[in-house]
Amino acid sequence: MILKTLSIINYKNIKEATLTLSPKINCLIGSNGMGKTNILDTVYFLSFCKSHTSTTDSQIIRHDNDFYVVEGTYEDESGNEEVIYCGMKRGTKKHFKRNKKEYKRFSQHIGLIPLILISPADTRIIEDGSESRRKLLDIVISQCQPEYISELISYNTALQQRNTLLKMEEEPDLMLLELWEEEMAAHGENVYKMRNAFIEQITPKFESIYNDIAQCHETIKINYISHCQRGDLLDVIRRDRHKDRAVGYSLHGIHRDDIEMTINGYPLRREGSQGQNKTVAIALKLAQFEFLKQTASRTTPLLLLDDIFDKLDSQRVEQIVKLVSSEKYGQIFITDTNRDHLDEILKHTSLDYKIFHVNDGEITD
């Protein structure tokens, strides 16, 4: 999938812009805080129906304005055109449309335009708690397996209902409790199978990409950890029901899944340097890109690289440049404050490219 044109009105600090894009490499240059990341965020928005950086839609609307509009015209591998539109007035719900037809549910859109975003915030995958790593799984798998979202939503509904019963002062209805536990287990097992299959597929890709970037003999491993690995999930959930009742929430289930990362056999979050952590985060995202390319309707995902060269030594920067300059990647968006990095990428490729300068929300070609 290729994004041909992008129109933006009142999105964060961007008052109005219409960009005609390269089908290969699009470089966005500017100082920090000028709006480069906001442009990438509009591209992300058109894939996921939400911002990558803002928690609520109202935060997107430019100050002192009452609405925002983002529209992208895409072309798929068969040459068919897709127009994706989103607009919202302050105080009302947003409208998300594909070829002028509004979606009933945003989840229907996820996966149409697969996308991988790599940003400085990705080191949180290593540094933060397990929720960040589960979110990583959810974002990628949902783009290639539509049933994943529905299974996860059903699981979370059952989890919330069970937790409500566990919090009750009086003894909860046992039949109702068992019913929600059965729902949790059934949907949780399905989510686990899809997560486990994903980890098995990306692990060799991840290790290979990390070694290409690091050019050293570090041993990096990722390991998926889940309560489903302890046996039948329904038995695991019910085994410690009395403990759950004491704390008022469910201690076991796929909502506690995690990914363990190690370097040379030691926990990465404790032993990894800034450069190693960032390299792991980038390698994970590029492995996800390859996974989506093979599974998401055989459509090459968009690749967004937001200020990824910071805190990396010159050797690692050089290896990343070689990787993203190859023809196996489709359309790429790159932001940087340093023109030298972008010139290095362009020097290594014969692919078509465009350069945009961004200054206080104004974009010039």
Side-chain angles (χ1 to χ4, degrees):
M1 191 76 79
I2 298 298
L3 178 56
K4 295 167 64 180
T5 61
L6 176 65
S7 298
I8 309 166
I9 300 174
N10 296 334
Y11 194 97
K12 299 187 178 179
N13 76 328
I14 303 169
K15 183 178 181 180
E16 188 171 357
T18 299
L19 308 182
T20 301
L21 300 161
S22 164
K24 287 299 182 181
I25 300 176
N26 295 278
C27 305
L28 301 161
I29 303 171
S31 302
N32 290 326
M34 291 294 102
K36 303 186 303 298
T37 297
N38 292 342
I39 297 168
L40 292 194
D41 199 45
T42 64
V43 180
Y44 183 96
F45 198 104
L46 291 173
S47 282
F48 292 101
C49 310
K50 64 179 182 179
S51 165
H52 179 255
T53 56
S54 300
T55 53
T56 62
D57 290 320
S58 61
Q59 293 176 335
I60 291 169
I61 302 174
R62 190 170 179 266
H63 294 317
D64 302 322
N65 285 272
D66 296 322
F67 72 98
Y68 72 80
V69 170
V70 182
E71 184 174 84
T73 302
Y74 296 81
E75 185 177 290
D76 67 18
E77 274 78 354
S78 301
N80 301 314
E81 192 170 271
E82 297 276 359
V83 179
I84 307 300
Y85 165 95
C86 185
M88 189 186 92
K89 291 182 180 178
R90 198 180 295 277
T92 65
K93 71 172 187 175
K94 65 186 172 190
H95 296 275
F96 210 95
K97 301 177 183 180
R98 175 185 178 187
N99 299 326
K100 298 183 178 180
K101 184 177 180 181
E102 187 154 3
Y103 283 103
K104 292 181 180 179
R105 297 188 307 276
F106 297 143
S107 61
Q108 294 174 320
H109 178 69
I110 308 301
L112 177 69
I113 308 163
L115 177 149
I116 292 293
L117 167 65
I118 304 178
S119 76
D122 289 334
T123 53
R124 283 193 227 145
I125 295 168
I126 299 151
E127 298 158 1
D128 286 0
S130 58
E131 185 177 354
S132 293
R133 293 179 284 280
R134 286 193 299 275
K135 184 179 178 182
L136 177 148
L137 296 173
D138 297 340
I139 288 174
V140 181
I141 302 172
S142 63
Q143 292 185 74
C144 61
Q145 294 182 272
E147 67 272 22
Y148 181 84
I149 296 178
S150 61
E151 290 289 345
L152 190 60
I153 290 172
S154 297
Y155 174 86
N156 286 331
T157 299
L159 172 65
Q160 290 165 7
Q161 293 293 336
R162 183 177 190 262
N163 285 348
T164 299
L165 293 173
L166 292 172
K167 289 184 177 76
M168 293 174 63
E169 289 187 15
E170 66 273 16
E171 199 62 31
D173 184 306
L174 183 59
M175 286 184 64
L176 197 54
L177 194 61
E178 289 180 342
L179 174 66
W180 289 120
E181 288 170 347
E182 288 168 4
E183 285 287 300
M184 276 181 66
H187 296 294
E189 291 276 7
N190 290 335
V191 170
Y192 166 74
K193 288 173 185 174
M194 286 183 270
R195 285 178 176 176
N196 191 54
F198 167 70
I199 292 292
E200 287 181 351
Q201 280 186 262
I202 72 156
T203 295
K205 301 180 195 295
F206 161 72
E207 291 176 356
S208 174
I209 292 169
Y210 183 89
N211 289 333
D212 285 344
I213 297 173
Q215 294 284 294
C216 61
H217 302 292
E218 298 162 356
T219 302
I220 293 287
K221 296 291 181 185
I222 54 175
N223 182 38
Y224 178 35
I225 301 169
S226 175
H227 290 146
C228 288
Q229 294 158 347
R230 299 182 182 181
D232 182 79
L233 185 56
L234 183 58
D235 291 341
V236 173
I237 291 169
R238 287 179 172 170
R239 196 176 300 157
D240 289 322
R241 188 191 287 161
H242 63 288
K243 291 183 182 178
D244 294 356
R245 185 83 172 96
V247 297
Y249 56 86
S250 302
L251 292 167
H252 298 89
I254 54 115
H255 61 287
R256 306 297 291 270
D257 285 3
D258 201 356
I259 301 173
E260 179 186 64
M261 304 179 195
T262 61
I263 182 166
N264 298 327
Y266 296 98
L268 181 67
R269 64 189 302 176
R270 193 181 71 214
E271 299 290 329
S273 67
Q274 280 188 325
Q276 287 168 329
N277 288 356
K278 187 154 189 175
T279 305
V280 165
I282 291 170
L284 263 176
K285 288 296 189 76
L286 292 179
Q288 291 168 37
F289 177 93
E290 293 196 13
F291 172 82
L292 283 179
K293 187 176 180 179
Q294 294 173 0
T295 57
S297 303
R298 301 295 172 182
T299 298
T300 302
L302 305 184
L303 180 62
L304 278 52
L305 307 175
D306 188 17
D307 192 23
I308 67 166
F309 301 111
D310 185 42
K311 296 184 176 65
L312 290 175
D313 59 49
S314 58
Q315 178 182 298
R316 294 186 188 222
V317 168
E318 183 181 349
Q319 295 306 316
I320 293 170
V321 165
K322 287 179 181 177
L323 276 173
V324 301
S325 301
S326 69
E327 293 194 12
K328 72 176 181 179
Y329 292 97
Q331 190 177 30
I332 302 175
F333 296 77
I334 308 172
T335 72
D336 208 315
T337 57
N338 187 338
R339 175 66 189 256
D340 293 341
H341 289 149
L342 299 179
D343 285 340
E344 191 67 20
I345 290 172
L346 300 177
K347 188 175 76 176
H348 278 81
T349 183
S350 59
L351 301 175
D352 182 75
Y353 67 87
K354 292 192 82 169
I355 298 175
F356 300 92
H357 292 268
V358 185
N359 183 37
D360 199 20
E362 296 282 336
I363 303 131
T364 54
D365 190 336

